[in-house]
Amino acid sequence: MSNNAVSLYLDPQIRDWVLFPITLVMILVGILRHYVVILLQSPPKKLPRAAIREQRALVRSQILRTTSTNSPIPESFYKSISQNLSQAFEAGTYLKDGPPKADAPSTPPNPLSDPNAMDGMMAGMKTQMVMMVPQMIIMGWINFFFQGFVLIKLPFPLTLGFKSMLQRGIETPDMDVRWVSSLSWYFLNFFGLNGLYRLILGGDNAADASRDMASPFAAGVPQAPGQAQDYSKLLKAEKDNLELAEGLYSWVGKDVEQRVLRRYGKLPPS
Amino acid sequence: MDLPSALQKLSTFRARNTRASQETFDKGLVVLKGNGLKKLGDESWSFLEQLALAAIDVGRLDIADRCLQLLTDKFPGSPRLDCLHGIRKEVTESPAAVLLYYGKLLQADPVNVALWKRKISVLRRIGRIDEAVAELIELLDTFYTDVEGWLELVDMYCSVHQYISSLQSLSHVLLLAPQNPFHVLRFAETAYTAGDIPLAMKSFLNVIDMADADEDAPAEQVPSGFTIRAWFGIKQCACRLQRERITSPSQTAVPEHVQLFDELATERLKTVYAGRDKSDKEATEVLEWLARV
């Protein structure tokens, strides 16, 4: 039976009125989506000074710690920086809202109550909606008008495994796998148009819908908004690291005399 | 001069952050007159910024204003332009007016580092060093990793003879850029000036250690560049350590083998200067000094 698949004859009108329109509509929707996302994007929120200071406090001690086993600075300087940081971390000087009060509740703040986090989440939702709504409409359109259409014949043979991918919506066990149904053509476009968008719109466009499918809610939000960092805990933990690094401390200039003299042949090599 | 070569040169200046203002200005004028803006496309805006700065530098405010006008038309309300306008104002307006301008903008956007730094530089320029230092410390407390900022603080402390504070700021620079021997050399020289001779000596040795680290037989090489400076430093420190009773404010142990280092430094410096011409006055002076001390 499968040999006579050649006998299937496609009306050229299907090509003109179904295959091309579906492709064209999907490309145009992708481009439209790109521009709508650009319109919807709100400029990144500016952090107040105190918040930046809080975020970067950890970096200070990390920089100090990275070189502590071979530190470029002498001991008294190292100790004073290290102890200053320890004290500041202990006292909470770097916290955005100032040192914590003794009777304050220690539960992490609810991310939904923080307006900044909410904004980030809303931005993610907005791009999601811009993607979902047109795709749902296109799929409904194809399902309604062109259900069961065979649109195109691939110019190369494929194994039976591709049947569910290429002939979605057509329940025939015997048709050659090379025929592609309308719904499958939609999916092929859905996942395959990214290269074309990159050509038309440049590298980081927002047109590609399949990217958002891969990681819902990650779109448009760089870090997970639900995870509010508890800096007071982080800084307390960093204090221990600082103490450890202070134990490992050694100045790079500790025995530099021997090193230099040996290199110039003034001292016998050890 | 033709347009392509001017554009080429300007883009390398931009990439390397070179402040060759007169040259930039001359070449920029060629581009501006030769209708090069269209050719540059999106790059034309950074070119205009570059040309505006160069024009302000060489005092051609008419060109600077033209660039600023073009930029303002394209990017109204851009914080980067605010900074450029501020620099333009610094030329013609009183420092007080400029400070007011910067202060107002900083109130609206307290984390605009470029503006903040301009404000500090104006404060320093009109001699209000104490305020400049206070502002700079606040900036560095927020943006700790700004090496240039720390170096500026070092410089300000040096300018008011606060060498210990200067050393402390330099130690932050060393932490942030431990691979740069120039910073170590500066640390050593500042320590010497502060009177902390053992620390200075150790730091000079660190410079030598860093500079020769990848050479197999440094004894056969002639020192060059900043290592000559470091050897001079070692020589000086060794002399003083031998002659005087020295205490170190930073409790650095007095280096061992001072005698050996005195000899080594003399020998190294001789290899630099002995090979020079007799008529080289600098060389003869150095050699005389080496023989004397």
Side-chain angles (χ1 to χ4, degrees), chain A residues 169-219:
Chain A
I170 304 175
E171 310 296 334
T172 50
D174 292 336
M175 198 163 64
D176 191 355
V177 186
R178 291 158 75 184
W179 297 102
V180 180
S181 75
S182 58
L183 205 56
S184 293
W185 181 246
Y186 163 78
F187 279 112
L188 285 183
N189 278 327
F190 183 75
F191 290 109
L193 277 177
N194 192 22
L196 191 70
Y197 291 138
R198 221 175 295 158
L199 225 75
I200 305 174
L201 300 169
D204 49 58
N205 59 70
D208 182 24
S210 56
R211 191 189 44 196
D212 293 337
M213 292 290 277
S215 56
F217 291 102

Side-chain angles (χ1 to χ4, degrees), chain A residues 150-171:
Chain A
V150 173
L151 295 192
I152 195 172
K153 185 187 175 198
L154 296 177
F156 42 83
L158 283 168
T159 55
L160 269 178
F162 287 93
K163 201 165 182 66
S164 62
M165 182 180 129
L166 293 179
Q167 289 177 2
R168 189 157 301 183
I170 304 175
E171 310 296 334

Side-chain angles (χ1 to χ4, degrees), chain A residues 49 53 60 259 264 266, chain B residues 110 141 202 209 212 267:
Chain A
R49 243 180 229 183
R53 184 160 169 259
R60 305 174 69 137
R259 274 207 303 279
Y264 283 92
K266 298 284 172 191
Chain B
D141 192 37
K202 285 259 195 184
D209 192 31
D212 316 324
E267 178 197 309

Side-chain angles (χ1 to χ4, degrees), chain B residues 29-80:
Chain B
L29 222 50
V30 173
V31 177
L32 205 60
K33 294 227 169 87
N35 220 358
L37 280 186
K38 287 199 190 78
K39 209 176 262 179
L40 275 166
D42 273 348
E43 253 183 82
S44 65
W45 309 114
S46 46
F47 158 73
L48 280 175
E49 187 188 18
Q50 182 190 19
L51 179 59
L53 281 173
I56 291 171
D57 236 5
V58 299
R60 284 291 300 275
L61 294 181
D62 50 328
I63 301 290
D65 285 339
R66 213 169 115 197
C67 293
L68 281 176
Q69 192 55 50
L70 283 170
L71 283 169
T72 317
D73 292 344
K74 172 73 182 175
F75 308 102
S78 143
R80 200 160 148 181

Side-chain angles (χ1 to χ4, degrees), chain A residues 46-58 92-99 231 235, chain B residues 109-111 116 138-139 141-143:
Chain A
K46 285 221 165 102
L47 281 170
R49 243 180 229 183
I52 293 181
R53 184 160 169 259
E54 178 187 74
Q55 267 183 7
R56 300 193 175 186
L58 275 180
T93 321
Y94 284 108
L95 293 178
K96 179 170 55 179
D97 308 319
Y231 277 99
L235 293 180
Chain B
D109 176 12
V111 289
W116 204 351
E138 205 190 327
L139 187 149
D141 192 37
T142 313
F143 302 96

Side-chain angles (χ1 to χ4, degrees), chain A residues 15-247:
Chain A
R15 180 192 64 204
D16 294 348
W17 295 103
V18 182
L19 178 71
F20 288 159
I22 289 178
T23 317
L24 193 73
V25 164
M26 291 202 63
I27 293 174
L28 289 180
V29 165
I31 294 174
L32 187 75
R33 174 184 137 77
H34 172 69
Y35 288 110
V36 170
V37 166
I38 288 181
L39 272 184
L40 282 180
Q41 257 164 6
S42 45
K45 265 234 142 54
K46 285 221 165 102
L47 281 170
R49 243 180 229 183
I52 293 181
R53 184 160 169 259
E54 178 187 74
Q55 267 183 7
R56 300 193 175 186
L58 275 180
V59 178
R60 305 174 69 137
S61 88
Q62 277 158 4
I63 288 171
L64 186 71
R65 281 195 294 122
T66 8
T67 50
S68 75
T69 51
N70 227 340
S71 183
I73 59 173
E75 192 171 0
S76 57
F77 291 84
Y78 184 92
K79 284 246 165 81
S80 81
I81 295 176
S82 172
Q83 276 158 15
N84 251 329
L85 279 177
S86 283
Q87 274 165 20
F89 288 168
E90 178 72 45
T93 321
Y94 284 108
L95 293 178
K96 179 170 55 179
D97 308 319
K101 288 160 203 78
D103 54 344
S106 62
T107 48
N110 183 3
L112 290 177
S113 64
D114 185 359
N116 287 342
M118 270 313 265
D119 274 2
M121 263 151 75
M122 282 310 285
M125 297 291 267
K126 270 191 279 185
T127 35
Q128 285 283 306
M129 291 314 284
V130 178
M131 177 201 62
M132 294 306 272
V133 171
Q135 296 301 347
M136 270 157 60
I137 293 173
I138 297 176
M139 205 166 144
W141 169 60
I142 291 170
N143 248 338
F144 189 79
F145 288 103
F146 312 126
Q147 196 173 31
F149 276 48
V150 173
L151 295 192
I152 195 172
K153 185 187 175 198
L154 296 177
F156 42 83
L158 283 168
T159 55
L160 269 178
F162 287 93
K163 201 165 182 66
S164 62
M165 182 180 129
L166 293 179
Q167 289 177 2
R168 189 157 301 183
I170 304 175
E171 310 296 334
T172 50
D174 292 336
M175 198 163 64
D176 191 355
V177 186
R178 291 158 75 184
W179 297 102
V180 180
S181 75
S182 58
L183 205 56
S184 293
W185 181 246
Y186 163 78
F187 279 112
L188 285 183
N189 278 327
F190 183 75
F191 290 109
L193 277 177
N194 192 22
L196 191 70
Y197 291 138
R198 221 175 295 158
L199 225 75
I200 305 174
L201 300 169
D204 49 58
N205 59 70
D208 182 24
S210 56
R211 191 189 44 196
D212 293 337
M213 292 290 277
S215 56
F217 291 102
V221 191
Q223 79 270 36
Q227 306 276 309
Q229 297 269 28
D230 187 356
Y231 277 99
S232 66
K233 282 211 183 88
L234 280 178
L235 293 180
K236 290 252 164 68
E238 188 61 27
K239 203 184 141 248
D240 295 341
N241 290 338
L242 267 180
E243 274 163 24
L244 184 67
E246 206 175 312

Side-chain angles (χ1 to χ4, degrees), chain B residues 240-284:
Chain B
R240 285 192 61 181
L241 282 174
Q242 282 170 313
R243 267 186 281 142
E244 305 164 26
R245 272 204 61 75
I246 298 247
T247 51
S248 164
S250 62
Q251 276 110 43
T252 313
V254 174
E256 303 157 40
H257 311 296
V258 175
Q259 180 75 39
L260 273 176
F261 277 115
D262 193 9
E263 287 162 22
L264 181 61
T266 313
E267 178 197 309
R268 299 311 300 160
L269 288 171
K270 270 185 182 154
T271 57
V272 179
Y273 288 100
R276 296 212 183 156
D277 214 326
K278 284 273 181 254
S279 58
D280 191 339
K281 210 171 157 214
E282 185 196 342
T284 31

